[in-house]
Amino acid sequence: MSADAPSPANYSPGLEGVVAGETAVSTVEDGLKYRGYSVGELCEKATFDEVAHLLLHGDLPTAKELSAFQARVTTARRIPEPVKQLYPNVPKWAYPLDALRTAVSMVSLFDPDAADNTHEANVRKAERLLGQMPVMVADQYRISKGLQPVMARPELGHSANFLYMLRGTEPTPEEVRALDVSLILYAEHEFNASTFTARVIVSTQSDLHSAIVGAIGALKGPLHGGANEKVMDVVRAAGGPDAAEKWTLDALARKERIMGFGHRVYKAGDVRAGILKGYARAAAITPDLQKWETTADIIERVMGEQKKMYPNLDWPAGRLYHAMDLEIPLYTPMFAMSRIAGWAAHVIEQTDHNRLIRPRSIYTGEPTRSVKPIGERG
Ligand code: CMC
């Protein structure tokens, strides 16, 4: 029995432009919207916690729904003791996103709904991961620095609690708002690589935790979430305002990729980058940070002039987090502790309307040949 040969006419390398499914979670058409709300308006009028509710439950919460949601999420911040014991055993040099991926996998062993793929169980698991992932990131960070973990504070929202657990001190309202806006912008993005990975995994009737572990793996690469950890390398390598133009022209002449620029879907610019730029600028309060902002502006101008290529969200996010004095290896884990909301919304949608995702490939290997006895090979 054989399958029909796929048509090369249907082939698009990297699936560029291919419609691979339906979703009601978000759209990038005519400006990024989450469940019908523009991200710009969400950044102005909502918190990350409200947006996470929107993504997981389909609409913005009422005040009563929000407090019930936050109560469930904050209860999950008490992660199981054996998972906590993982961090002292993780090598100090471990990359935080790898430690997060391992912790998410481990916590699945203790989740009472782990094997239950019903809509209700998937929502419960998603809410728990939303509470657990920032705790995992903060605990692993502190233990790797030889510091005691800090207890979560149930009265604090997602961003404020994360900054508090990371540093052990109260963040300022400006820092909380800036981080919250960045996490709103990171929360969801249609069929990006990590979300698509998650959907492929659950399309086999696998479970939510397996999908999130796979999604974290896909997020790690520098062409996707890993780009936010490369932004300050780019800005610093450019050397400062006097050297930035020449450095950018030389890097482009060497055919280097400038991390934080370009996008598979947004060819005329990423609305998210424009929204977060003001927060990165406002956070740059020292002369040194302002120097890097000016350097970033010059790189941005040259990229537009030379390549018609514009910043993506990672460009201001990497600078904002640096200005907030957060260490670079935390940036992609922070992306993950936001995108968990979008990933889980897609996992739930895929599971609720499932059809196995199994595309075809164009064969480029050897023509049909016969197997020679081992003594006749070579
Ligand atoms: N700097 C310089 N040249 C670039 C860049 C860049 N950032 N991005 C693409 N190009 C060039 C690329 O070299 C190629 O040139 P040529 O045709 O001469 O070979 C051309 O543009 C097309 O590149 P592509 O890789 O085929 O385009 P794509 O649509 O697959 O790329 C991308 C999308 C995001 C992978 C790419 O723009 C890139 O590598 N950007 C840098 C990494 C980055 O910032 N990633 C974050 C993406 S958005 C948020 C997220 O997911 O985290």
Coordinates of all heavy atoms in Angstrom, one line a residue, residues 180-223:
D180 N 4.2 44.4 33.5 CA 2.9 43.9 33.2 C 2.6 44.1 31.7 O 2.0 43.2 31.0 CB 1.8 44.6 34.0 CG 0.8 43.6 34.6 OD1 1.2 42.6 35.1 OD2 -0.4 44.0 34.5
V181 N 2.9 45.3 31.2 CA 2.6 45.6 29.8 C 3.4 44.6 28.9 O 2.9 44.1 27.9 CB 2.9 47.1 29.4 CG1 2.9 47.3 27.9 CG2 1.9 48.0 30.1
S182 N 4.7 44.4 29.2 CA 5.5 43.5 28.4 C 4.9 42.1 28.4 O 4.9 41.4 27.4 CB 7.0 43.5 28.9 OG 7.1 42.7 30.1
L183 N 4.4 41.7 29.6 CA 3.8 40.3 29.7 C 2.5 40.2 28.9 O 2.2 39.2 28.3 CB 3.7 39.9 31.1 CG 5.0 39.8 31.9 CD1 4.7 39.2 33.3 CD2 6.1 39.0 31.2
I184 N 1.7 41.3 28.9 CA 0.5 41.3 28.1 C 0.9 41.1 26.6 O 0.3 40.3 25.9 CB -0.3 42.7 28.3 CG1 -0.9 42.8 29.7 CG2 -1.4 42.8 27.2 CD1 -1.5 44.1 30.0
L185 N 1.9 41.8 26.2 CA 2.3 41.8 24.8 C 2.9 40.4 24.4 O 2.8 40.0 23.3 CB 3.3 42.9 24.5 CG 2.7 44.3 24.6 CD1 3.8 45.4 24.5 CD2 1.7 44.6 23.5
Y186 N 3.5 39.8 25.4 CA 4.1 38.4 25.2 C 3.1 37.3 25.3 O 3.4 36.2 24.9 CB 5.2 38.1 26.2 CG 6.6 38.5 25.8 CD1 7.5 39.2 26.6 CD2 7.1 38.3 24.5 CE1 8.8 39.5 26.2 CE2 8.4 38.6 24.1 CZ 9.2 39.2 25.0 OH 10.5 39.6 24.6
A187 N 1.9 37.6 25.8 CA 1.0 36.5 26.2 C 0.5 35.6 25.1 O 0.2 34.4 25.3 CB -0.2 37.1 27.0
E188 N 0.4 36.1 23.9 CA -0.3 35.3 22.9 C 0.1 35.8 21.5 O 0.2 37.1 21.3 CB -1.8 35.4 23.1 CG -2.7 35.1 22.0 CD -2.5 33.7 21.4 OE1 -1.8 32.8 22.0 OE2 -3.0 33.4 20.3
H189 N 0.2 34.9 20.5 CA 0.6 35.4 19.2 C 0.2 34.3 18.1 O 1.1 33.9 17.3 CB 2.1 35.8 19.1 CG 2.3 36.8 18.1 ND1 3.5 37.0 17.5 CD2 1.5 37.9 17.7 CE1 3.5 38.0 16.7 NE2 2.3 38.6 16.8
E190 N -1.0 34.0 18.0 CA -1.5 33.1 17.0 C -0.7 31.8 16.8 O -0.3 31.2 17.8 CB -1.6 34.0 15.7 CG -2.5 33.5 14.6 CD -1.9 33.7 13.3 OE1 -0.7 33.6 13.1 OE2 -2.7 33.9 12.3
F191 N -0.3 31.5 15.6 CA 0.3 30.2 15.3 C 1.9 30.4 15.2 O 2.5 29.9 14.3 CB -0.2 29.6 14.0 CG -1.4 28.7 14.2 CD1 -2.4 29.0 15.2 CD2 -1.7 27.6 13.5 CE1 -3.5 28.2 15.4 CE2 -2.8 26.8 13.6 CZ -3.7 27.1 14.6
N192 N 2.4 31.0 16.2 CA 3.9 31.1 16.3 C 4.5 29.7 16.5 O 3.8 28.8 16.8 CB 4.3 32.1 17.4 CG 3.8 31.6 18.7 OD1 4.5 30.9 19.4 ND2 2.6 32.0 19.1
A193 N 5.8 29.6 16.4 CA 6.5 28.3 16.4 C 6.2 27.5 17.7 O 5.9 26.3 17.7 CB 8.0 28.4 16.2
S194 N 6.2 28.1 18.9 CA 6.1 27.4 20.1 C 4.6 27.0 20.3 O 4.3 25.9 20.8 CB 6.5 28.2 21.3 OG 5.9 29.5 21.4
T195 N 3.7 27.9 20.0 CA 2.2 27.6 20.1 C 1.9 26.5 19.1 O 1.1 25.5 19.5 CB 1.4 28.8 19.8 OG1 1.8 29.8 20.7 CG2 -0.1 28.6 19.9
F196 N 2.4 26.5 17.9 CA 2.1 25.5 17.0 C 2.7 24.1 17.5 O 2.0 23.1 17.4 CB 2.7 25.8 15.6 CG 2.2 24.9 14.5 CD1 0.9 24.8 14.2 CD2 3.1 24.2 13.7 CE1 0.4 23.9 13.2 CE2 2.7 23.3 12.7 CZ 1.4 23.2 12.5
T197 N 3.8 24.2 18.1 CA 4.4 22.9 18.7 C 3.5 22.4 19.7 O 3.2 21.2 19.7 CB 5.8 23.3 19.4 OG1 6.6 23.8 18.4 CG2 6.4 22.1 20.0
A198 N 2.9 23.2 20.6 CA 2.0 22.8 21.6 C 0.8 22.2 21.0 O 0.3 21.1 21.4 CB 1.6 24.0 22.5
R199 N 0.3 22.8 19.9 CA -0.9 22.2 19.3 C -0.6 20.9 18.6 O -1.5 20.0 18.7 CB -1.5 23.3 18.2 CG -2.1 24.5 18.9 CD -2.8 25.4 17.9 NE -4.1 24.8 17.6 CZ -5.3 25.5 17.8 NH1 -5.3 26.7 18.2 NH2 -6.4 24.9 17.5
V200 N 0.5 20.8 18.0 CA 0.9 19.5 17.4 C 0.9 18.4 18.5 O 0.4 17.3 18.3 CB 2.2 19.6 16.6 CG1 2.7 18.2 16.2 CG2 2.1 20.5 15.4
I201 N 1.5 18.7 19.6 CA 1.6 17.7 20.7 C 0.3 17.2 21.1 O 0.0 16.0 21.2 CB 2.5 18.2 21.8 CG1 4.0 18.4 21.3 CG2 2.4 17.3 23.1 CD1 4.9 19.0 22.3
V202 N -0.6 18.2 21.4 CA -1.9 17.7 22.0 C -2.9 17.2 20.9 O -3.8 16.5 21.2 CB -2.7 18.8 22.8 CG1 -2.1 19.0 24.1 CG2 -2.9 20.1 22.1
S203 N -2.5 17.4 19.6 CA -3.3 16.9 18.5 C -3.2 15.3 18.5 O -4.1 14.7 17.9 CB -3.0 17.4 17.2 OG -1.9 16.8 16.6
T204 N -2.2 14.8 19.2 CA -2.1 13.3 19.3 C -2.9 12.8 20.5 O -2.8 11.6 20.8 CB -0.6 12.9 19.4 OG1 -0.2 13.3 20.7 CG2 0.3 13.4 18.3
Q205 N -3.6 13.6 21.1 CA -4.3 13.3 22.4 C -3.4 13.2 23.6 O -3.6 12.5 24.5 CB -5.3 12.1 22.3 CG -6.4 12.4 21.3 CD -7.4 11.2 21.2 OE1 -7.2 10.2 21.8 NE2 -8.5 11.5 20.5
S206 N -2.2 13.8 23.4 CA -1.3 13.9 24.5 C -1.8 14.9 25.5 O -3.0 15.4 25.3 CB 0.1 14.3 24.0 OG 1.0 14.4 25.1
D207 N -1.1 15.3 26.5 CA -1.6 16.2 27.6 C -1.0 17.6 27.6 O 0.0 17.8 27.0 CB -1.4 15.5 28.9 CG 0.1 15.3 29.2 OD1 0.7 14.4 28.6 OD2 0.6 16.2 29.9
L208 N -1.7 18.5 28.4 CA -1.3 19.9 28.4 C 0.2 20.1 28.9 O 0.9 20.8 28.3 CB -2.2 20.6 29.3 CG -2.0 22.2 29.4 CD1 -3.4 22.9 29.3 CD2 -1.3 22.6 30.7
H209 N 0.6 19.4 30.0 CA 2.0 19.6 30.4 C 3.0 19.2 29.4 O 4.0 19.9 29.2 CB 2.2 18.8 31.7 CG 1.6 19.4 32.9 ND1 0.3 19.2 33.4 CD2 2.1 20.3 33.8 CE1 0.1 19.9 34.4 NE2 1.1 20.6 34.7
S210 N 2.7 18.1 28.7 CA 3.7 17.6 27.6 C 3.7 18.7 26.5 O 4.8 19.0 26.0 CB 3.2 16.4 26.9 OG 3.1 15.3 27.9
A211 N 2.6 19.3 26.2 CA 2.6 20.4 25.2 C 3.4 21.6 25.7 O 4.1 22.2 24.9 CB 1.1 20.8 24.9
I212 N 3.3 22.0 26.9 CA 4.0 23.1 27.4 C 5.5 22.9 27.5 O 6.3 23.8 27.2 CB 3.4 23.6 28.8 CG1 1.9 23.9 28.7 CG2 4.2 24.8 29.3 CD1 1.4 24.8 27.7
V213 N 5.8 21.7 27.9 CA 7.3 21.3 27.9 C 7.8 21.5 26.4 O 8.9 22.1 26.2 CB 7.5 19.9 28.4 CG1 8.9 19.4 28.2 CG2 7.1 19.8 29.9
G214 N 7.1 21.0 25.5 CA 7.5 21.1 24.1 C 7.6 22.5 23.6 O 8.5 23.0 22.9
A215 N 6.6 23.3 24.0 CA 6.5 24.7 23.6 C 7.7 25.5 24.2 O 8.3 26.3 23.5 CB 5.2 25.3 24.1
I216 N 8.1 25.2 25.5 CA 9.3 25.9 26.0 C 10.5 25.5 25.2 O 11.3 26.4 24.9 CB 9.4 25.5 27.5 CG1 8.3 26.0 28.4 CG2 10.8 26.0 28.1 CD1 8.3 25.5 29.8
G217 N 10.6 24.3 24.8 CA 11.7 23.9 24.0 C 11.8 24.7 22.6 O 12.8 25.1 22.2
A218 N 10.6 24.9 22.0 CA 10.6 25.7 20.8 C 10.8 27.1 21.0 O 11.4 27.8 20.2 CB 9.2 25.5 20.1
L219 N 10.4 27.6 22.2 CA 10.6 29.1 22.5 C 12.1 29.4 22.6 O 12.5 30.5 22.4 CB 9.9 29.4 23.8 CG 9.8 30.9 24.2 CD1 8.9 31.6 23.3 CD2 9.5 31.1 25.6
K220 N 12.9 28.4 23.1 CA 14.3 28.7 23.4 C 15.1 29.2 22.3 O 16.0 30.0 22.6 CB 14.9 27.3 23.9 CG 16.3 27.3 24.3 CD 16.7 26.0 24.8 CE 18.1 25.8 25.1 NZ 18.5 24.5 25.6
G221 N 14.9 28.8 21.1 CA 15.8 29.2 20.0 C 15.8 30.7 19.7 O 14.8 31.4 19.9
P222 N 17.0 31.2 19.3 CA 17.1 32.7 19.1 C 16.3 33.3 18.0 O 16.1 34.5 17.9 CB 18.6 32.9 18.9 CG 19.1 31.6 18.5 CD 18.3 30.5 19.1
L223 N 15.8 32.4 17.1 CA 14.9 33.0 16.1 C 13.5 33.2 16.6 O 12.6 33.9 16.0 CB 14.8 32.0 14.9 CG 16.1 31.8 14.1 CD1 15.8 31.0 12.8 CD2 16.8 33.0 13.8

